[in-house]
């Protein structure tokens, strides 16, 4: 690497490099990391942009939806000019501008039991931005079977949840909820609504946890569920234990 590229690299990431817990070696580690993002909704839009800005070397994105006008209230990676485009195409254009050094692998497909293991095992960490229970359980099970940490986030109306599952022998999502609820019991965001800025808060927390897991710094949210209440600006922490039967 020549001095010009070295200087460009330092200028882009120097606020990270100056942090003792990260430094030059930590930044290089981020540049070698591979993260899989499931879903390009409100949470995914935030997670993707901050991970790309942080210099994650490769980000896989799995989504098969198109940009709709109702998305723009919270999915800030997209815009009016991208209405009707695939979310992958819209996101790829934004990331190319934000950090052209990041490799983006778009997977324009639904995550299924047929492809989940093959996709997940190629990445170091999964960031789960899904909005439905079947996919959420599929992500969890694929992470457990491949030994991949699962950084989880979910949102509804004014409330959000964040945790790190399947990390260093910690609990998984099924340790929290062993089985999905019956169809129709829990309304989706499309049915019940969501505060537009909420996925930004939850997505930032998820992106932070991904970076901590990749670098092995701090105390990731293993064995605990973080509950965020936007109306009261409050956080609660619930302790989680691994279910020995799983």
């Amino acid at each position: 690497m020549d001095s010009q590229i070295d200087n460009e690299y330092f200028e882009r990431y120097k606020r990270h490099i100056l942090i003792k817990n990260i430094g030059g070696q930590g930044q290089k580690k981020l540049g070698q990391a591979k993260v899989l993002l499931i879903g390009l909704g409100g949470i995914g839009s935030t997670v993707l942009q901050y991970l790309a800005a942080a210099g994650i070397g490769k980000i896989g994105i799995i989504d098969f939806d198109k940009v709709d006008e109702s998305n723009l209230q919270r999915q800030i990676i997209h815009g009016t000019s991208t209405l009707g485009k695939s979310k992958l195409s819209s996101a790829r254009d934004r990331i190319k501008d934000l950090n052209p050094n990041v490799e983006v692998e778009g997977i324009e497909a639904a995550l299924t039991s047929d492809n989940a293991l093959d996709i997940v095992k190629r990445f170091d960490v999964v960031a789960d931005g899904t909005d439905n229970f079947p996919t959420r359980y599929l992500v969890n099970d694929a992470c457990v079977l491949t030994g991949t940490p699962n950084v989880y986030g979910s949102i509804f109306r004014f409330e959000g949840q964040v945790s790190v599952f399947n990390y260093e022998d910690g609990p998984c999502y099924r340790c929290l909820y062993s089985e999905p609820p019956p169809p129709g019991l829990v309304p989706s965001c499309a049915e019940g609504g969501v505060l537009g800025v909420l996925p930004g808060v939850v997505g930032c927390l998820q992106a932070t946890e991904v970076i901590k897991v990749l670098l092995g710094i701090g105390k990731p949210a293993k064995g605990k569920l973080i509950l965020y209440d936007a109306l009261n600006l409050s956080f609660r922490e619930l302790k989680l234990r691994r279910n020995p039967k799983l």
Side-chain angles (χ1 to χ4, degrees):
M1 186 178 292
D2 60 37
S3 59
Q4 181 181 1
I5 296 177
D6 272 337
N7 290 336
E8 291 175 358
Y9 180 90
F10 180 78
E11 285 301 313
R12 179 177 286 272
Y13 300 118
K14 66 181 178 181
R15 299 305 195 278
H16 272 177
I17 294 171
L18 292 171
I19 300 174
K20 182 179 178 181
N21 299 59
I22 301 178
Q25 291 302 312
Q27 188 59 50
K28 288 180 180 179
K29 194 170 184 179
L30 293 179
Q32 296 167 351
K34 296 175 288 185
V35 176
L36 176 64
L37 173 63
I38 314 288
L40 267 175
I43 291 176
S45 292
T46 303
V47 173
L48 175 58
Q49 291 182 92
Y50 274 104
L51 291 184
I56 300 299
K58 179 177 181 177
I59 305 176
I61 313 168
I62 182 163
D63 196 290
F64 60 93
D65 206 358
K66 296 186 182 298
V67 181
D68 180 82
E69 193 163 16
S70 65
N71 301 148
L72 303 184
Q73 166 250 17
R74 64 203 176 280
Q75 299 179 16
I76 57 171
I77 200 168
H78 312 299
T80 303
S81 64
T82 64
L83 288 173
K85 293 181 63 175
S86 76
K87 289 185 177 180
L88 282 177
S89 176
S90 171
R92 188 182 283 111
D93 290 345
R94 169 61 184 141
I95 297 308
K96 183 178 180 180
D97 180 54
L98 178 62
N99 191 346
N101 301 314
V102 174
E103 178 186 350
V104 175
E105 178 186 349
I107 305 167
E108 197 158 7
L111 191 72
T112 68
S113 56
D114 292 328
N115 63 18
L117 289 178
D118 288 337
I119 293 174
V120 169
K121 70 182 182 181
R122 296 191 286 108
F123 294 87
D124 304 314
V125 178
V126 167
D128 181 5
T130 57
D131 60 358
N132 65 84
F133 286 103
T135 308
R136 195 169 293 159
Y137 279 87
L138 180 59
V139 171
N140 173 80
D141 295 348
C143 286
V144 169
L145 290 171
T146 59
T148 307
N150 174 15
V151 180
Y152 156 81
S154 68
I155 53 175
F156 183 67
R157 292 181 177 163
F158 293 95
E159 299 175 349
Q161 299 181 355
V162 176
S163 189
V164 176
F165 295 122
N166 200 49
Y167 177 60
E168 291 185 342
D169 207 33
C172 73
Y173 184 69
R174 286 188 184 271
C175 298
L176 174 64
Y177 304 114
S178 59
E179 298 292 338
L185 180 63
V186 180
S188 65
C189 289
E191 297 165 331
V194 63
L195 180 69
V197 299
L198 179 63
V201 176
V202 171
C204 283
L205 292 173
Q206 273 185 275
T208 304
E209 294 302 291
V210 169
I211 291 171
K212 287 160 59 181
V213 167
L214 289 171
L215 296 180
I217 60 174
K219 295 181 179 180
K222 178 188 76 169
K224 55 188 175 182
L225 182 69
I226 307 301
L227 305 176
Y228 170 61
D229 182 341
L231 274 182
N232 295 307
L233 188 56
S234 64
F235 288 88
R236 288 194 300 141
E237 179 181 309
L238 302 181
K239 297 294 184 182
L240 303 178
R241 291 184 179 180
R242 182 173 180 177
N243 186 340
K245 297 180 181 180
L246 295 176

